[in-house]
Every structure is written in C-alpha cells, then in structure tokens.
Amino acid sequence: MAGAIQPVPFRGSPRPTIGIEWEIALVDKVTRDLSNTASAVFDAVGDLRAHDGTQQVTKELLRNTVELVTGVHETVGGAVEDLRTTMEAVRRAADPLGVDLFCAGTHPFAQWSAQQLTRSPHYDELIERTQWWGRQMLIWGVHVHVGVSHRDKVFPILNSLLLSYPHLLALSSSSPMWSGDDTGYASNRALMFQQLPTAGLPFQFENWRQFEGFVHDQMKTGVFEQLGGMHWDIRPAPKWGTIEIRVCDGLSSRAELASVAALIHCLVVDLEQRLDNGEDLPTLPPWHVQENKWRAARYGLDAIVIVDDASNERLVTDDLMDLLTRLEPTARRLGCADELAAVAEIPRHGASYQRQRRVAAQSQGDLVAVVDSLVRELDQ
C-alpha cells in the first residue's frame, strides 16, 4: 500500500556495551580564541581507527572542532582509555599548528560570526534550513551510547531516563558564558541547542511502533531525510542497537567524563534489568521533564527538581546521592564502581560552570584565564 509505514529496524545489542563521542574545541595557544584549523589537524592525524574499525577522529559542523569517537567497549574504563590515546594523537597534530585543546559547553568569549563551517551536503542543508540559529551553534557536548538488547525496551528505558535528565545536565554544565558575557545559566548550551527544529527533548512514545509512525511522518513531510537528522537530547540509534544520551555539556577532563559516562551506563543497564524483572518503569509528565531541563540549565547543581509524577521536589544533589547508592551494585557488575563513586566529587569540588566563574572572579573578569584553566583541565 502506498504510504504505508515502513519498519525501522533496531539492531539490538546482546551486551550492555558503551561508546563515547567527545567534542573537542581547538584554541590558539596565544590569543585563546577559537582556531579554525580542524582540516590541518585531520590531515596530520590521518585515518585513525579503533579496534573495531570505528573512525576515531571525525569532523563536526564547525572547523574549530574535532570529535573523538571510541570503538564499542564493554567498560567505561576501556572507552576512556580509547579516548586518551586518540586525544594524544590529536594533541601531537595540533601542537605544531600553535593550537591547544579544550572542552566546555561553550567558549567564554569567541564570536560565532568568526567561525568557519565544514562543507558537506548534510551541514550545508542544515545551515540553509536553520539560518541564524544554525550559525549560532558554537557549542560542544558529550554523547554516550549504551547497548540495549531489543527495540521493545528502547522507549520504556528512554522515557524513564528522563527522570535523571536534570542530574546529568547539572553535573556536566559547563557553558555559563557566551560571547564574553556571563549568561546567568549553568548550561547555556542546552537551551541554545533546542532552538534547532529537530533538537531538544524527545517525545515519550509508548512503543516502537509509535516511533516508526513518527519517523514516517517526519520523512514524508521533509523534516529530516535520515534518522541522524533527529537531534534529540536522548534518542534511539537503531543502526548501532543503542540509546544515545546527548544531554551533557562538554566535559572538561577525562576523570569527569569517566564518572558521568559511568552514571549513564549504570542508569541504562539498571533500567533494562528492572524491565527484565517485570517492573513498570517510572516516568514523568512531559511538562515536568521540560521544567526540570530548564531548572538544571539555569541553576545547575543548585536546582530543585521534580522527582516523580506526584510533583514532589528535591535538591538535585540530594537526589543524586541516593541514586548513586542505588546504582552501586550495577556499577560493580559493569566494572565501573570507582568511576561511579567519583560522581560525588563533582558537587564537592564544583562543576565546570562553577569553576569557570571562580577563575573569572579571581582574575578580575579575564576570560583568557578561564580558557587557560580549561586547557589545563583537559591535560590532566
């Protein structure tokens, strides 16, 4: 029948694997402004591949950015070690070009209008469609893929993950500044990115069939031509058999990335296990999910978040500590107990947005000093 809804095959993952994508910015060693030298870095790095053939250094929308990509791993530790060796290769390529590496959700003072675009049919179409908002996307994030065994589990898990959305955003918030100004937000990136027409919070479908109907409608009306054009904060990745969590701002150090990735890995695996045990997973109404996203973006670790469908609220860090305790057995099974425990250190030492503001205050507003501190953190 013409116009029939086509199936969206989900590959499925027999094990709860993990893969990480880490967007890294290039900055000039002297001025600390962004450097549009990604092409030269790619040429120097060459075709770097993971153990499973995954291309480990890839292009992004802007020519001031490289993305580090892991292969498929069983543990967070393996994925982070993969990233470490890839970053060393990128750093060796960038150094002779007078370029350092840093990661945060935004750059403290760079101007979007000075950035050069990577030319490709996909990126050209994105900018043609989104215009000013598309050109504004001077932002960096971390994406974590976790393997899920069957498509019928995807949306129950995805919908329940939204309860932990504000925890992940608050922990990773690293974009308080934009074009030289403090925005007053912990994560300006999260709210900027949702301005794109296919970005932002996911729809809470009841099952995979509803999702297939959505994909049909979007493709028929030209909203996107491939699933990669769906830029949700949490989305299915059918080709890989994963759920891809894209909530986080750019994380400024390997240790911080490892701890947040461990939290994500444990969350997904715990939810799948609860499904297998016959449990109905908890969810939040979309209006509460939306409010929690805004509160975490605005207030970071000081956010009071809505924790259940009865509209009860808690300080996000209080709820986080209970969550970490509950996930300890899962972390032990996944071999990431140390990384998960380190999540508790982020509120104690300050998330990146707090550390950046501290450096700015101590240097009388010198935002070059903020970039210096981010470069040092990525070196650690």
Side-chain angles (χ1 to χ4, degrees):
M1 182 176 67
I5 294 174
Q6 297 299 310
V8 178
F10 183 81
R11 180 178 177 180
S13 177
R15 300 177 312 284
T17 54
I18 184 168
I20 304 173
E21 302 164 4
W22 196 7
E23 294 172 349
I24 302 295
L26 307 174
V27 294
D28 186 272
K29 285 179 178 289
V30 177
T31 68
R32 290 315 195 193
D33 203 349
L34 289 169
S35 174
N36 288 281
T37 49
S39 293
V41 171
F42 289 128
D43 289 344
V45 169
D47 187 18
L48 200 62
R49 300 275 173 169
H51 61 278
D52 57 5
T54 301
Q55 190 173 358
Q56 292 183 279
V57 184
T58 63
K59 297 178 180 178
E60 275 294 319
L61 172 65
L62 296 173
R63 293 176 65 184
N64 54 42
T65 302
V66 298
E67 184 175 55
L68 312 186
V69 183
T70 73
V72 178
H73 286 271
E74 301 288 332
T75 66
V76 168
V80 173
E81 175 62 18
D82 199 343
L83 290 170
R84 184 190 66 78
T85 57
T86 304
M87 183 171 289
E88 286 178 355
V90 172
R91 191 171 273 124
R92 286 194 300 270
D95 193 61
L97 301 171
V99 171
D100 278 328
L101 313 181
F102 102 121
C103 187
T106 56
H107 187 282
F109 62 84
Q111 301 297 312
W112 67 268
S113 56
Q115 309 312 313
Q116 298 174 16
L117 296 165
T118 300
R119 299 305 302 272
S120 76
H122 172 68
Y123 290 141
D124 290 351
E125 190 276 333
L126 174 67
I127 295 301
E128 171 59 28
R129 184 171 186 225
T130 60
Q131 292 292 305
W132 187 84
W133 271 115
R135 289 285 286 119
Q136 290 279 321
M137 293 296 122
L138 196 57
I139 54 177
W140 298 272
V142 169
H143 306 158
V144 179
H145 288 259
V146 179
V148 173
S149 62
H150 194 275
R151 70 176 196 178
D152 290 344
K153 298 179 180 180
V154 169
F155 279 98
I157 292 172
L158 187 156
N159 296 343
S160 198
L161 274 174
L162 292 170
L163 275 83
S164 302
Y165 187 114
H167 308 64
L168 296 173
L169 183 57
L171 287 165
S172 66
S173 286
S174 61
S175 50
M177 299 165 195
W178 176 258
S179 294
D181 294 322
D182 191 317
T183 64
Y185 283 77
S187 174
N188 192 47
R189 178 205 65 90
L191 301 186
M192 288 193 65
F193 188 54
Q194 70 182 15
Q195 304 308 315
L196 296 183
T198 61
L201 291 168
F203 295 108
Q204 296 189 45
F205 296 116
E206 292 181 8
N207 54 51
W208 192 258
R209 184 61 178 164
Q210 283 187 355
F211 174 64
E212 289 176 330
F214 164 80
V215 171
H216 169 82
D217 291 348
Q218 300 297 284
M219 289 188 171
K220 182 175 181 179
T221 56
V223 177
F224 53 72
E225 295 181 355
Q226 55 182 357
L227 284 177
M230 181 182 67
H231 297 111
W232 291 347
D233 297 337
I234 307 176
R235 67 183 182 182
K239 179 180 178 181
W240 309 117
T242 65
I243 293 176
E244 182 184 4
I245 293 85
R246 301 153 51 88
V247 172
C248 297
D249 274 10
L251 287 154
S252 305
S253 71
R254 268 200 319 276
E256 220 163 52
L257 181 139
S259 63
V260 174
L263 175 55
I264 291 170
H265 200 194
C266 291
L267 281 167
V268 175
V269 173
D270 172 69
L271 289 169
E272 181 163 11
Q273 183 62 58
R274 290 161 67 184
L275 267 183
D276 289 342
N277 293 341
E279 185 176 337
D280 290 331
L281 299 181
T283 60
L284 276 183
W287 47 91
H288 284 348
V289 174
Q290 181 174 304
E291 175 65 12
N292 276 347
K293 176 178 180 177
W294 185 86
R295 291 185 188 186
R298 170 65 179 87
Y299 300 108
L301 294 170
D302 293 319
I304 306 292
V305 298
I306 306 161
V307 295
D308 56 34
D309 58 8
S311 303
N312 292 304
E313 298 171 286
R314 291 186 81 188
L315 179 65
V316 69
T317 48
D318 289 345
D319 200 59
L320 174 66
M321 295 309 158
D322 288 348
L323 180 61
L324 295 179
T325 299
R326 184 168 65 76
L327 292 174
E328 283 176 0
T330 302
R332 287 194 294 271
R333 290 200 307 274
L334 294 173
C336 62
D338 290 344
E339 291 93 339
L340 183 71
V343 170
E345 296 301 312
I346 297 176
R348 294 188 188 119
H349 296 133
S352 181
Y353 75 93
Q354 295 169 315
R355 301 194 301 269
Q356 290 179 52
R357 285 181 171 143
R358 212 153 47 217
V359 171
Q362 291 167 353
S363 60
Q364 291 73 52
D366 180 8
L367 298 186
V368 169
V370 176
V371 179
D372 285 340
S373 70
L374 289 164
V375 169
R376 286 194 299 272
E377 286 191 15
L378 199 60
D379 269 337
Q380 295 168 358

